[in-house]
Amino acid sequence: MCSLHRARGSVLVIFLLLHSATSFYLPGLAPVSFCEPGQAGKENEVPDCKSTIEVFVNRLDSVESVLPYEYTAFDFCAIDSEKRPSENLGQVLFGERIEPSPYKFEFKKKVDCKPVCTKSYNTNKPEDKAHLDFLKKGMLLNYQHHWIVDNMPVTWCYDVEDGQKFCNPGFPIGCYVTEAGRPKDACVVNSDFKDKDTFYVFNHVDITIHYHVVENEAAGARLVAAKMEPKSYKHTKVEAPDCTGGPMYLNNKFSGELKIGYTYSVQFVEDKHIRWASRWDYILESMPHTNIQWFSIMNSLVIVLFLSGMVAMIMLRTLHKDIARYNQMDSVEDAQEEFGWKLVHGDVFRPPRKGMLLSVFLGSGTQIFIMIFVTLFFACLGFLSPANRGALMTCAVVLWVLLGTPAGYVAARFYKSFGGEKWKTNVLLTCFLCPGVVFADFFVMNLILWGEGSSAAMPFGTLVAILALWFCISVPLTFIGAYFGFKKTGIEHPVRTNQIPRQIPEQSFYTRSLPGIVMGGILPFGCIFIQLFFILNSIWSHQMYYMFGFLFLVFIILVITCSEATILLCYFHLCAEDYNWQWRSFLTSGFTAVYFLVYAIHYFFSKLQITGLASTILYFGYTMIMALIFFLFTGTIGFFACFWFVTKIYSVVKVD
């Protein structure tokens, strides 16, 4: 999620950022070399290479449920002796739980139908029955494995419409044929999956490892792809399987004893065309995106050009004429004939109602704006690529914690300019109001995840660590920023404020606050709604999002659109002699978040297949957090744009 630059050099910068989003690999992530067993460490051979390839397993998720589960929750083949890799904060927040697996193989050593483990169940035993029921629930909801080889996802590539191939960074644990005989999800790939009211377990995987031999370097071979195909075999001899025969099925009403044998086959293929630095491309290129993304950008640019033309016309023609006419008024009689926005010069900087709350929102919005900008900038440079799991969320959380100072400074500065004196209340609200609402929502969602036994439930230790970051780092930094904000002299306005407020005349329907606020959010939302679809897909449909160059450009367009739309409406209201612009400017662009919320509701009912009360509550709970953050972010942009505009126009007119 990132941003871009301007002027003549912006074309080159945009091209580089868009290019980097597809082929630039993560800086600082060193490639791992592999060689055949017995060659590692030999003289004149490959000194620093591995011969054993390990498969790591991540949490399982589903497009029909928001609840991810750990790999071991489904009673698959597991290994307990090895230490699991440590996750960063972003991975924990997203529910990722990476752990070692018993799937291990030697480089370039072909293996056919090797047994991994056998799971035995007896439905007369409550524990076994619970494991089997949970496995059936996972197949019914189409839960997907996520395996990792050499920090790359193991993909399942299959043909889709128009002869294209889609590579999914996950594969199902099984599938289900309904009582009516309709195959669901992955059951459509095999005509043998036809028994009614029956589950089919994918207990075998055919893995193909693609590698690239590095020439001109004594570095061995590097893995460039890991592809697999899930299969189902009912092994007649579980101890010595041959991977032949019919599928491994499980009738929904089955009772008694059952054995499921898990096996795998692996082969190695040399690929001379794919290099290590571009090994993610085959996954990313299989996802439909670029044409729609360019359509989104062009759509947004048209809106920006339209708004820019309107603002330019107001600034260069209407305002220029107004200012020239106002400045030529020499006599008192002329001054008494003032009209339009000049009339309210004595009230335009009058402190707004609820100035405390507005200043707190501005402080939190500034904090979020800088956090998003810096996060997107680093993402564009490649530091937050999909290869570095959890880095995006980790970066955002750390930045938010460290940006308490500008939040406190902005809140204190504007609160002081609004004439406020309760500085302690202002600082405390800046520290705890918006973050507290987000944390309370997140904590309730976490309780639901705990109750469901999901891997996305944050461990108690991580929860304490986040609270420590908030209270021990963010809060003191906010106090420091507020100290400097209150210490500095108040913001000097270009015109004096009258002691007696001017009466605002009766407004027409179109110049009232509510219609203007509702209309003001339409254009910014129109710039982002296509990009929003891809972001929601990456969150809820578990698709990979990596087009940070596009996102950075849309971010810049959103900032410009929010600013210009708010300035336009602010000018119209001032001409109608309505000087209450502070809250209205914040709410005008902030109303984009309401459209985001409406779109998220539409997306839930039209695009997602989520079932279950817990998943529904989680979806809307997390959506409310995103809507609040978006409201503060866009509202702050609108306020600062309008504040600059009002200060600018009233500083160039002569006021008696």
Side-chain angles (χ1 to χ4, degrees), residues 341-417:
W341 54 269
K342 174 89 183 284
L343 269 175
V344 296
H345 67 80
D347 298 274
V348 74
F349 290 105
R350 188 174 300 282
R353 296 176 182 175
K354 308 290 184 184
M356 170 81 80
L357 185 61
L358 179 59
S359 65
V360 170
F361 281 175
L362 290 173
S364 296
T366 304
Q367 188 176 15
I368 293 167
F369 176 85
I370 301 173
M371 176 195 76
I372 293 174
F373 180 86
V374 176
T375 302
L376 291 178
F377 180 75
F378 280 121
C380 277
L381 295 179
F383 287 101
L384 309 178
S385 79
N388 198 359
R389 304 170 203 282
L392 191 74
M393 180 59 76
T394 304
C395 178
V397 171
V398 171
L399 281 171
W400 179 84
V401 169
L402 297 177
L403 288 169
T405 302
Y409 179 82
V410 169
R413 195 100 165 82
F414 277 97
Y415 181 63
K416 187 175 182 179
S417 73

Side-chain angles (χ1 to χ4, degrees), residues 455-467:
S455 69
M458 187 179 296
F460 180 74
T462 309
L463 209 58
V464 172
I466 288 181
L467 287 173

Side-chain angles (χ1 to χ4, degrees), residues 89-315:
L89 181 60
Q91 288 176 289
V92 174
L93 288 172
F94 276 124
E96 292 197 10
R97 299 293 184 269
I98 299 175
E99 50 191 281
S101 78
Y103 294 87
K104 292 181 174 61
F105 23 86
E106 302 294 331
F107 180 65
K108 293 182 73 173
K109 182 180 179 182
K110 186 178 180 181
V111 175
D112 288 318
C113 202
K114 183 175 180 179
V116 183
C117 76
T118 302
K119 292 292 181 177
S120 301
Y121 301 96
N122 187 341
T123 55
N124 297 321
K125 296 180 180 179
E127 186 179 356
D128 287 357
K129 189 177 186 303
H131 282 309
L132 211 53
D133 288 344
F134 195 72
L135 182 63
K136 288 194 288 187
K137 177 187 174 184
M139 289 187 281
L140 185 65
L141 295 176
N142 194 29
Y143 269 83
Q144 306 262 323
H145 282 287
H146 293 282
W147 290 6
I148 302 165
V149 169
D150 191 32
N151 202 37
M152 274 204 68
V154 179
T155 57
W156 178 31
C157 298
Y158 51 88
D159 294 327
V160 290
E161 64 271 4
D162 301 327
Q164 294 183 332
K165 190 175 284 291
F166 176 72
C167 291
N168 183 13
F171 63 94
I173 64 176
C175 60
Y176 175 62
V177 178
T178 64
E179 293 181 352
R182 183 177 63 86
K184 283 188 63 180
D185 305 314
C187 275
V188 299
V189 302
N190 194 330
S191 58
D192 292 335
F193 300 166
K194 57 188 178 183
D195 293 346
K196 296 180 180 180
D197 197 21
T198 301
F199 294 93
Y200 291 90
V201 183
F202 289 130
N203 59 335
H204 175 85
V205 287
D206 284 334
I207 303 172
T208 303
I209 305 290
H210 296 257
Y211 64 93
H212 175 83
V213 177
V214 182
E215 299 176 359
N216 303 323
E217 297 179 43
R222 293 171 183 170
L223 307 188
V224 293
K227 300 178 182 180
M228 58 77 59
E229 184 178 354
K231 292 183 178 179
S232 180
Y233 292 117
K234 187 174 179 64
H235 301 298
T236 52
K237 297 179 181 179
V238 179
E239 293 77 15
D242 56 2
C243 294
T244 57
M248 180 67 221
Y249 64 89
L250 171 62
N251 190 276
N252 195 20
K253 299 179 176 62
F254 169 82
S255 62
E257 295 186 0
L258 175 72
K259 287 187 177 182
I260 302 177
Y262 291 92
T263 56
Y264 73 90
S265 299
V266 63
Q267 62 176 334
F268 292 83
V269 176
E270 183 177 358
D271 194 322
K272 297 182 179 180
H273 304 291
I274 302 177
R275 301 190 66 84
W276 185 87
S278 57
R279 63 182 188 159
W280 284 75
D281 289 4
Y282 85 96
I283 306 173
L284 307 177
E285 288 170 359
S286 72
M287 297 180 181
H289 51 68
T290 309
N291 293 335
I292 298 175
Q293 295 284 345
W294 280 117
F295 169 75
S296 168
I297 298 295
M298 296 307 298
N299 170 61
S300 303
L301 286 175
V302 168
I303 294 174
V304 167
L305 288 173
F306 167 74
L307 285 174
S308 299
M310 292 283 289
V311 172
M313 186 176 68
I314 288 174
M315 298 289 284

Side-chain angles (χ1 to χ4, degrees), residues 339-623:
F339 61 91
W341 54 269
K342 174 89 183 284
L343 269 175
V344 296
H345 67 80
D347 298 274
V348 74
F349 290 105
R350 188 174 300 282
R353 296 176 182 175
K354 308 290 184 184
M356 170 81 80
L357 185 61
L358 179 59
S359 65
V360 170
F361 281 175
L362 290 173
S364 296
T366 304
Q367 188 176 15
I368 293 167
F369 176 85
I370 301 173
M371 176 195 76
I372 293 174
F373 180 86
V374 176
T375 302
L376 291 178
F377 180 75
F378 280 121
C380 277
L381 295 179
F383 287 101
L384 309 178
S385 79
N388 198 359
R389 304 170 203 282
L392 191 74
M393 180 59 76
T394 304
C395 178
V397 171
V398 171
L399 281 171
W400 179 84
V401 169
L402 297 177
L403 288 169
T405 302
Y409 179 82
V410 169
R413 195 100 165 82
F414 277 97
Y415 181 63
K416 187 175 182 179
S417 73
F418 295 156
E421 297 178 352
K422 299 178 181 178
W423 65 270
K424 293 179 182 178
T425 307
N426 180 260
V427 180
L428 290 173
L429 285 175
T430 306
C431 291
F432 297 111
L433 179 61
C434 297
V437 171
V438 172
F439 183 81
D441 188 327
F442 183 80
F443 184 73
V444 172
M445 298 302 104
N446 205 51
L447 287 177
I448 296 173
L449 290 168
W450 268 335
E452 295 290 331
S454 171
S455 69
M458 187 179 296
F460 180 74
T462 309
L463 209 58
V464 172
I466 288 181
L467 287 173
L469 288 173
W470 181 14
F471 283 93
C472 300
I473 299 178
S474 181
V475 171
L477 288 175
T478 307
F479 270 86
I480 292 171
Y483 169 78
F484 287 106
F486 280 115
K487 190 176 181 182
K488 200 162 185 178
T489 55
I491 299 172
E492 292 186 10
H493 302 305
V495 290
R496 294 190 304 273
T497 301
N498 296 335
Q499 290 185 344
I500 302 174
R502 179 186 180 84
Q503 184 176 358
I504 299 173
E506 183 71 23
Q507 299 291 306
S508 66
F509 175 78
Y510 295 105
T511 55
R512 290 176 184 169
S513 295
L514 187 59
I517 290 169
V518 172
M519 288 188 295
I522 294 176
L523 290 176
F525 178 76
C527 292
I528 64 165
F529 80 96
I530 295 178
Q531 197 68 227
L532 197 60
F533 172 77
F534 289 98
I535 294 173
L536 291 177
N537 266 357
S538 72
I539 296 173
W540 303 115
S541 296
H542 313 294
Q543 294 183 10
M544 213 169 283
Y545 191 91
Y546 69 99
M547 295 165 286
F548 297 113
F550 283 111
L551 190 60
F552 188 56
L553 189 55
V554 170
F555 172 83
I556 292 297
I557 291 172
L558 176 63
V559 172
I560 295 171
T561 310
C562 283
S563 303
E564 292 179 343
T566 310
I567 288 172
L568 272 175
L569 291 168
C570 181
Y571 174 75
F572 293 147
H573 284 105
L574 289 175
C575 288
E577 301 178 27
D578 186 350
Y579 51 82
N580 294 321
W581 61 270
Q582 291 97 333
W583 268 112
R584 189 164 50 236
S585 64
F586 189 92
L587 295 174
T588 297
S589 55
F591 204 79
T592 311
V594 177
Y595 290 109
F596 163 76
L597 191 60
V598 172
Y599 181 78
I601 295 171
H602 163 74
Y603 180 83
F604 176 83
F605 288 106
S606 64
K607 302 294 182 184
L608 295 182
Q609 307 164 17
I610 290 176
T611 57
L613 180 62
S615 292
T616 304
I617 294 173
L618 287 166
Y619 175 86
F620 286 104
Y622 288 130
T623 299

